[in-house]
Amino acid sequence: MKKTEKHTILIVDDNSNNLFSLHELIKDNFQVEVVEATSGFEALRIISEQHIDLCLMDVQMPEMDGFETAKLVKSRPKTAHIPVIFITAFDPNKALMDKGLNAGGLDYLTKPIDDVQIVHTLNMYLRFLGRERDINSELEEKVQLRTIELQNINRKLKLEIEERKKTEAALQESEIKLKEANAAKDKFFSIIAHDLRNPFNAVIGFSNILRESIHDLEIAEIYEYIGYINESALNAYTLLGNLLDWARSQTNSIQFEPMAMDIQEIIQATLVILSGEATKKNISISSTVPEGCGVMADSNMVSAVIRNLVSNAIKFTRPGGFVSIFSSRSEGCQVFTIEDDGIGIHEKDIDKLFRIDTKLYTKGTAEESGTGLGLILCKEFVEKNAGTIRVESEYGKGSRFIFTLPAVS
């Protein structure tokens, strides 16, 4: 090193061995004066009594650590210009670097310190100290460069964290979709294996009786068996229709053609179709939805929703009960309510009604079977048409299924 006016370096470390080793390394490589301090308090005293050009500050010290000492050095106008380089036995990660920067430090030396590390670091800072330009501006430049570097590191870390979060979110979403797909598959095969077979078994059984014993049966008995066959066939037809609609909705192959329409026409057509079921149970079924009740929706989907909700209401209403449909308007939507005075739903089961991953099978008041698929289909179709669906029910007293659709003025 070229001989120039000597700079004074203060080493602060509570370990005497560390002081000795670092002192020797500096003396062997640089023509500088070295001053030692064994605590933060002693360092502050030395700095206040003599000129110090550079301070090497150990981080871990009793009573007052290096960060606290550096903050006090930087807080005093007469000593604020002194560059502080921290010494640590830990790898200076981002958190440690930020803490050091906030304390006023410019750099780090990591233990054990060797010739290469001390020469590289002190050469850089001593060159700054030796220049003719104002030392404060040099140090400010160094701080700015260091700040920019840390900001870039921080920005890079944030981007990495955001990317990791996106990846984790995508994996979680894929896992949820996989669980839903498996649940859908299980429900689909369960319905095919059990629920769809039951009505066909009834059709086969009663038709066999008719074929083998028709000449021995009374007319009333024949009508009774034909009624059973007809009812089973209708149940199978309804369930198969729901299955096909649901399967198409899962593969996005179902047509979606929203248009302005009068929903009152669909309701009346549905009541005509289901009037036979209601009559058999002596259930009064009515609608007060006015003519000209316009909505923007897919007519086939809306028809499936109303059919399933009304059919369910009939199924779970006792003989002599009622099912009523009425509407209102709220915030640009038509609100439709299908109400019955049937057996109601347990509060703990309400959240399970529209979920594919749960099993909730309840017999109707006339032992009618059900799969729960119709309500799942209702939820998908209503939401597909930008609406919502919910349930209000009190066990033993009846239920209200309420859904909304966009209104047409």
Side-chain angles (χ1 to χ4, degrees), residues 105-391:
L106 297 180
D107 213 335
Y108 280 87
L109 288 172
T110 54
K111 299 176 183 177
I113 301 169
D114 55 26
D115 288 15
V116 174
Q117 191 180 179
I118 196 70
V119 169
H120 173 77
T121 302
L122 291 191
N123 256 334
M124 180 172 58
Y125 287 96
L126 290 174
R127 279 200 300 270
F128 275 101
L129 291 171
R131 291 177 185 171
E132 293 181 357
R133 56 190 291 193
D134 182 68
I135 185 66
N136 287 330
S137 65
E138 289 287 346
L139 290 176
E140 287 174 5
E141 182 181 349
K142 177 64 178 177
V143 171
Q144 290 173 357
L145 291 173
R146 197 65 171 175
T147 301
I148 292 171
E149 180 182 353
L150 290 173
Q151 287 174 343
N152 288 335
I153 293 172
N154 190 38
R155 191 177 297 111
K156 184 178 180 181
L157 286 172
K158 284 183 178 179
L159 288 173
E160 290 176 355
I161 291 170
E162 288 175 2
E163 287 299 319
R164 187 169 68 247
K165 285 181 178 179
K166 287 180 182 178
T167 302
E168 291 173 354
L171 288 173
Q172 289 176 352
E173 185 178 354
S174 296
E175 185 177 355
I176 291 170
K177 287 182 178 179
L178 181 60
K179 287 181 179 179
E180 290 176 348
N182 285 332
K185 178 197 68 177
D186 293 343
K187 192 173 188 74
F188 186 80
F189 284 118
S190 174
I191 291 170
I192 291 176
H194 299 98
D195 302 282
L196 193 57
R197 291 178 62 183
N198 291 335
F200 283 114
N201 286 336
V203 169
I204 293 169
F206 288 120
S207 63
N208 280 337
I209 292 174
L210 286 174
R211 185 179 63 181
E212 295 171 1
S213 307
I214 191 167
H215 297 295
D216 301 323
L217 296 173
E218 299 290 337
I219 293 295
E221 291 177 308
I222 293 174
Y223 272 115
E224 182 181 358
Y225 289 139
I226 290 173
Y228 290 144
I229 291 171
N230 180 258
E231 182 179 349
S232 297
L234 287 174
N235 289 339
Y237 181 79
T238 300
L239 177 56
L240 188 59
N242 279 341
L243 274 173
L244 292 174
D245 284 343
W246 180 62
R248 287 198 294 268
S249 74
Q250 299 305 299
T251 57
N252 294 319
S253 59
I254 192 168
Q255 289 186 335
F256 177 56
E257 298 176 349
M259 63 182 68
M261 62 180 180
D262 184 355
I263 197 172
Q264 193 258 5
E265 296 177 1
I266 293 178
I267 292 172
Q268 292 302 321
T270 303
L271 296 189
V272 170
I273 293 171
L274 297 176
S275 61
E277 293 182 29
T279 301
K280 278 191 292 185
K281 296 179 72 173
N282 191 29
I283 291 172
S284 169
I285 182 168
S286 63
S287 170
T288 59
V289 176
E291 184 179 350
C293 185
V295 297
M296 178 63 70
D298 182 284
S299 60
N300 291 326
M301 290 185 179
V302 171
S303 179
V305 170
I306 295 173
R307 183 181 68 249
N308 275 290
L309 293 180
V310 174
S311 179
N312 264 9
I314 295 170
K315 182 185 300 181
F316 295 107
T317 298
R318 303 176 188 88
F322 74 86
V323 175
S324 60
I325 308 170
F326 52 91
S327 65
S328 61
R329 183 154 180 164
S330 175
E331 298 179 354
C333 291
Q334 292 286 1
V335 183
F336 301 96
T337 300
I338 297 175
E339 181 180 18
D340 63 66
D341 64 346
I343 60 177
I345 306 163
H346 286 289
E347 185 177 354
K348 63 182 177 62
D349 292 331
I350 288 178
D351 290 339
K352 302 176 184 177
L353 291 176
F354 300 109
R355 289 175 55 183
I356 190 68
D357 59 343
T358 60
K359 295 181 179 180
L360 184 65
Y361 300 142
T362 305
K363 290 283 188 180
T365 56
E367 294 300 307
E368 301 101 321
S369 62
T371 64
L373 183 61
L375 289 180
I376 295 169
L377 199 63
C378 287
K379 183 175 187 295
E380 291 189 12
F381 282 177
V382 167
E383 291 180 350
K384 182 77 171 177
N385 285 276
T388 61
I389 187 168
R390 61 188 175 89
V391 184

